[in-house]
Structures are given as structure tokens and as C-alpha cells.
DNA sequence: GCACTGTATGTCATATCTGACATAGAGTCA
DNA sequence: TGACTCTATGTCAGATATGACATACAGTGC
């Protein structure tokens, strides 16, 4: 239930920007995936901005290069906990994460008025 | 690594508002816990606002009452994925989640140290 | 008192995630 | 060409989370 549909997404090509509900995902599933993708992108940006390779980041995280790659690829085997934790270790604040999360949001809501 | 220190927190009494780093948690660990607590609170509020019991919510989530209780209690065995997914199923938007996350944040704005 | 509802807490088999490893593709440099 | 770096992808044993269950506790109404 948690992996199957996301797997489909992976296979499907990932237009990501809004490529979700069209596969019959529930709003919740779609939103969750988009949030994770927002975090993935944010992680890669932050890592690069820090001038770190995946190997170096993996060292800091006490993880491995392959997992970092999967994180940045939005692999369905990566949990939100891991993404968030990694971002925090790179110095992201809760506000930064909030932005990354909303970054994955659809077209919703207006800005101010 | 992921559970041990949080377990300490649980045992410690949970003054939650800012009860974190004093135990020797890294910034990342502390922030992660606070974010989860923000989500926990948000989940309970939203559930109650919907007039649902834990049992009823568990039904919607295809989970169990005990897990809902643990979610709302901020139990360390509950992942962020589960919390977020649950909130989304209750109609929360990415923006709502962003707020809940930042709700657990310390010194919100700028300034360090 | 009892019965009922809502919530909390502990345990456990199974599902899922994680780090580590191997391997491969793409790019650079000499 | 080969050697090197960085990244991507697959696999797997071991760690962790999950749902289900039992049980307990507080409150309400009778």
C-alpha cells in the first residue's frame, strides 16, 4: 500500500511537478510523494551548496553513498524521517523544511490575497 | 541511534516546549523530535475537530486505535511518514503540515546561538 | 455496583526501511 | 587507453515500524 503505487510512479517517468494524481493516487498519497520530492530536491541543493559529494555526505550521516543517491532520487524505499534528518544535519531549519514541503505543493492556495 | 535518545526523552517527562537539547541531543535529533511533536499535536487537534474517536480515525487510516494513540502521544515508534500520511488523510494540506512543523520550532526567526 | 465509550500502554509477527556492499555509467584528466 | 571521481542501481542481512491484539484506566450513565 505504501510502496506499490509509488513504484508505479517511479516507472512512469516522473514529471514530478504535478505528476501524481493522474495515476489514481489518493490525495494523501499524491501529496506525500510530492512532499518527499520537495525534500529530495532540497537535499541535493543543500548538499551541493555545501560542496559535498554524496560520499562525503554519507559520511556525515553515518550512512552510505547509495542511500544518499536514493534519497536524492526520491526512491520509494526512503522514508521521510531519513530525508528530514539528513536535511537537518545539513543545517536546515524547520522553516527551511516547511518551505521544501510546500515546494512540492500543487497550485493551491493563493499567496496573500 | 534513532530510538535510544528519544526513549530517554519519553522517560524524562516531556516538557516538550523546548525540552530537547538539554539531554545531549544533537540539533538534528532535537529538531526532528520537536517537528514530530508538532505533527502529533496537530493530528489530535484535527481529529477532534473532525469529531472522530481514535477508533474511528484508525478505521479511516486502516490502522488500529493503539497506533493512533501512539501517534498522538509522540511515541518514538511512530514515523514521520505515518504522522504526515494521517494528517493528509484528515484533509491537511502541505501548508498545514508546514505550519505544524514550524510550530515545534525553537527560536523561529533569525539569530543563532 | 455494572456496562459502555474513549484513550493509553505493552507485546508480537510481519512488513518495511536501512546501511553496506557490489557494480555500472558518465565525466575528467593525463 | 587507463585511472580516478561522482553518481546510479540492485541486493541483502539486520534494524525498525506497523497493525493487531490484549489489557488497563478514566469518565459517563444507569
Amino acid at each position: 500500500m505504501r510502496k506499490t503505487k509509488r513504484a508505479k510512479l517511479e516507472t512512469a517517468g516522473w514529471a514530478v511537478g504535478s505528476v501524481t494524481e493522474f495515476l489514481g493516487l489518493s490525495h494523501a498519497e499524491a501529496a506525500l510523494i510530492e512532499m518527499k520530492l520537495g525534500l529530495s530536491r532540497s537535499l541535493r541543493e543543500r548538499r551541493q551548496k555545501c560542496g559535498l559529494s554524496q560520499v562525503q555526505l554519507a559520511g556525515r550521516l553515518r550512512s552510505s553513498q547509495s542511500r544518499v543517491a536514493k534519497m536524492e532520487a526520491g526512491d520509494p524505499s526512503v522514508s521521510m524521517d531519513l530525508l528530514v534528518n539528513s536535511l537537518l544535519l545539513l543545517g536546515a531549519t524547520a522553516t527551511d523544511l516547511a518551505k521544501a514541503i510546500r515546494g512540492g505543493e500543487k497550485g493551491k492556495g493563493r499567496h496573500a490575497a
Side-chain angles (χ1 to χ4, degrees), chain A residues 64-76:
Chain A
S64 59
Q65 179 268 327
S66 58
R67 190 133 300 271
V68 173
K70 288 179 219 283
M71 283 192 239
E72 296 187 351
D75 189 289

Side-chain angles (χ1 to χ4, degrees), chain A residues 7 17 33 90 99:
Chain A
I33 291 178
L90 278 182
K99 280 180 200 161

Side-chain angles (χ1 to χ4, degrees), chain A residues 5 14 24 67 73 78 89 91 98-99 107 113:
Chain A
K5 295 201 171 171
W14 281 125
R67 190 133 300 271
V78 173
L89 279 191
K99 280 180 200 161

Side-chain angles (χ1 to χ4, degrees), chain A residues 84-98:
Chain A
V84 168
N85 211 20
S86 303
L87 278 162
L88 290 173
L89 279 191
L90 278 182
T93 66
T95 302
D96 293 328
L97 296 187

